């Protein structure tokens, strides 16, 4: 597969994830050609970019070229990808929908162009199956909000060429994201499985009456969540082992941890559990609507990322 | 139970957790009487306090009185608690050891004084069973490092008086911690169960060859871990639901999440898994020893807590 420098990125699907991808690509001075079937998609995308721009500028230098000059909104995916050097697909998270979009793009696109899917949990082996050139298809899964969260999960499927994974990794790293290569495809990739595991126990603790929704959240955001913004769970436990590190940790705390594993819950999202979660989180939000909470989160994330950058961590 | 103002705290056991408790109590101007059977315990405690003091001063005003003037090191737990208004027990995390220490303290202490145990996962119902006054025993579980992490989990046992829980909650809140009341005792309380759930899947993903130790850690610290420093898992998913919040999230993402739950791993800490974790985390640490990593973490936590404070979040 030819190494071609990436100047123009097609963003296929401009919902929450696609809009955010478009903003970060534009901030790096890349041309973006976007498409989305929603009638108000272009206006919504342009408003999102206007809102995201000053936020991105706080995180680091953004392109001198005004973003709207670099952005073309296209009538369909085929037009959007026609002169693209890289494709980021962010269609709705349904296997049939995504597979069909990938096949449409693949049918018209030069075979040396990588098609990355933002899928949060589907297997690329399934999504690439109807493509003529499945070897250039890969998962490039960002985290919400993608213009702020550095992580991108890169996963190849049964037919993905190793060079495709390498190109996607290199591209995401070059635009300042933090890609990780997931070696074996599993449902939910890595980070969503970890989130799902944490949330399963969080739901269990609420469902079993151990703690309120708000208190379970506080147990994370005023507790281990503070450490996880810097270090993942393995390194955190390496430190918990003291001078002996992970080996000592496993010796001392392996047995209690395994006993807690055995005791973890397996809740179901029954109607009454759903009610408890919905009512509990509304109490926790305490009148702050989603827009206010999202603004609070994004302000915090910008400050946190600036802090991590300045401390070199 | 009489409400008595807390001026003197006994810190029984001055290992990693007890030392850190002593530092925070002293920083709030409380007198501390400490005990620990280790031969070098007093010197180690005083060195720890010297190191922690400037860190605590960066987080907020500390007591004007020099900490060593407020600290008395005692030969045994009975002496340490003799004029205490609150007892924080931080003996080794073994049921028999802790139960014996609680019984010794209980035998000599006025019945209106709360005894809080730092136990990270034992049941207070078992620990209090040999006390004459079990009603004043409660879990007050901090998170490492306790002088920095705000969370304290408060759990009553079968014989704990509601007033004991209230007094412990009020005391921790008054010294600037963030206590949560866990309504029903379970092994590992809340935060350690959540950590255990996350780590179980983290271990599974390494053991199954899905990703390296370092990449699993990055998936948290450059991904959802950034959000968890501000918002717990429920509120995070409330936001992921967009304008429809948790109800919409459950409708849209409940089914994939339940399918991921079904697919989560159940690893065992076999010798080969332990090796993979130990080798992997050493590679991730890349030559940084535990002291260097802990210093990095603590610098980051101080900055992060200052950031949360300044943004009012």
């Amino acid at each position: 597969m030819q190494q071609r420098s990436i100047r123009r990125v097609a963003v296929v699907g401009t919902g929450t994830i696609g809009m955010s991808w478009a903003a970060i690509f534009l901030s790096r001075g890349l041309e973006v050609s976007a498409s989305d079937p929603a009638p108000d998609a272009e206006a919504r995308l342009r408003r999102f970019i206007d809102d995201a721009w000053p936020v991105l500028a706080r995180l680091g230098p953004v392109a001198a070229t005004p973003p709207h000059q670099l952005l073309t909104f296209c009538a369909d995916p085929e037009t959007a990808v026609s002169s693209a050097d890289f494709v980021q697909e962010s269609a709705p998270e349904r296997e049939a929908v995504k597979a069909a979009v990938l096949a449409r793009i693949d049918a018209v696109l030069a075979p040396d162009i990588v098609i990355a899917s933002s899928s949060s949990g589907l297997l690329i082996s399934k999504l690439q199956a109807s493509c003529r050139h499945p070897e250039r298809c890969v998962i490039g899964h960002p985290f919400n909000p993608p213009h702020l969260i550095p992580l991108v999960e890169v996963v190849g499927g049964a037919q993905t060429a190793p060079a495709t994974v390498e190109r996607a990794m290199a591209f995401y790293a070059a635009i300042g994201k933090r890609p990780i290569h997931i070696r074996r495809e599993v449902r939910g990739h890595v980070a969503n499985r970890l989130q799902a595991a944490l949330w399963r126990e969080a739901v269990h603790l609420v469902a079993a009456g151990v703690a309120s929704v708000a208190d379970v959240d506080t147990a994370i955001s005023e507790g281990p969540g503070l450490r996880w913004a810097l270090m993942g769970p393995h390194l955190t436990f390496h430190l918990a082992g003291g001078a002996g590190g992970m080996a000592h940790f496993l010796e001392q705390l392996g047995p209690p941890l395994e006993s807690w594993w055995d005791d973890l819950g397996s809740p179901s999202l029954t109607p009454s559990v759903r009610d408890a979660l919905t009512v509990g989180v509304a109490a926790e939000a305490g009148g702050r609507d989603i827009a206010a909470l999202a603004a609070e989160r994004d302000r915090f994330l910008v400050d946190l990322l600036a802090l991590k950058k300045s401390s070199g961590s």
Side-chain angles (χ1 to χ4, degrees), chain A residues 8-310:
Chain A
R8 187 180 184 91
V9 182
V11 171
V12 176
T14 58
T16 308
I17 301 300
M19 289 195 297
S20 193
W21 272 125
I24 192 138
F25 295 147
L26 292 166
S27 77
R28 300 299 184 259
L30 298 166
E31 293 172 42
V32 169
S33 50
S35 71
D36 191 282
D40 63 337
E42 180 172 1
R44 193 165 165 254
L45 170 59
R46 291 191 183 271
R47 275 198 308 275
F48 180 89
I49 289 163
D50 287 336
D51 291 345
W53 206 252
V55 176
L56 286 165
R58 282 192 57 206
L59 282 178
V62 290
T65 315
H68 296 292
Q69 276 184 35
L70 293 170
L71 174 65
T72 314
F73 199 89
C74 306
D76 51 54
E78 288 83 354
T79 315
V81 306
S82 64
S83 55
D85 307 310
F86 189 92
V87 176
Q88 186 73 43
E89 170 273 311
S90 306
E93 182 74 4
R94 290 195 296 278
E95 192 174 296
V97 173
K98 281 193 178 281
V101 170
L102 289 197
R104 276 176 72 179
I105 298 169
D106 169 75
V108 298
L109 188 66
D112 62 324
I113 308 297
V114 169
I115 305 176
S117 171
S118 300
S119 172
S120 61
L122 301 173
L123 304 185
I124 188 69
S125 291
K126 301 250 175 127
L127 300 181
Q128 73 191 164
S130 314
C131 291
R132 289 175 314 150
H133 293 288
E135 70 281 0
R136 48 80 165 273
C137 296
V138 70
I139 294 286
H141 173 235
F143 260 72
N144 198 34
H147 61 297
L148 297 182
I149 302 280
L151 181 67
V152 181
E153 297 179 310
V154 175
V155 201
Q159 300 183 79
T160 305
T164 299
V165 169
E166 280 163 33
R167 288 204 73 193
M169 293 287 292
F171 172 61
Y172 293 130
I175 62 166
K177 305 308 281 184
R178 185 71 186 267
I180 61 171
H181 176 209
I182 295 173
R183 298 168 185 165
R184 194 159 82 64
E185 55 179 351
V186 285
R187 278 190 275 169
H189 319 315
V190 164
N192 269 333
R193 292 175 71 95
L194 295 170
Q195 284 208 102
L198 182 77
W199 194 55
R200 178 164 67 171
E201 184 61 16
V203 170
H204 166 68
L205 291 167
V206 170
V210 173
S212 70
V213 165
D215 282 348
V216 168
D217 273 357
T218 298
I220 293 299
S221 64
E222 301 291 324
L226 297 167
R227 304 184 301 208
W228 287 330
L230 180 69
M231 293 177 178
H234 297 300
L235 200 57
T236 296
F237 284 164
H238 183 50
L239 286 190
M246 177 63 86
H248 184 68
F249 174 82
L250 288 167
E251 202 177 293
Q252 292 290 309
L253 289 163
L257 265 157
E258 287 196 298
S259 84
W260 298 338
W261 285 354
D262 294 341
D263 200 46
L264 296 178
S266 297
S268 293
L269 295 173
T270 60
S272 72
V273 168
R274 287 167 185 249
D275 279 355
L277 294 172
T278 308
V279 170
V281 87
E284 181 181 7
R288 294 170 295 174
D289 66 12
I290 297 290
L293 286 165
E296 189 183 317
R297 177 197 62 191
D298 290 358
R299 275 195 310 272
F300 171 79
L301 286 173
V302 169
D303 289 340
L304 174 57
L305 291 166
L307 172 64
K308 289 186 75 170
K309 206 169 176 178
S310 73

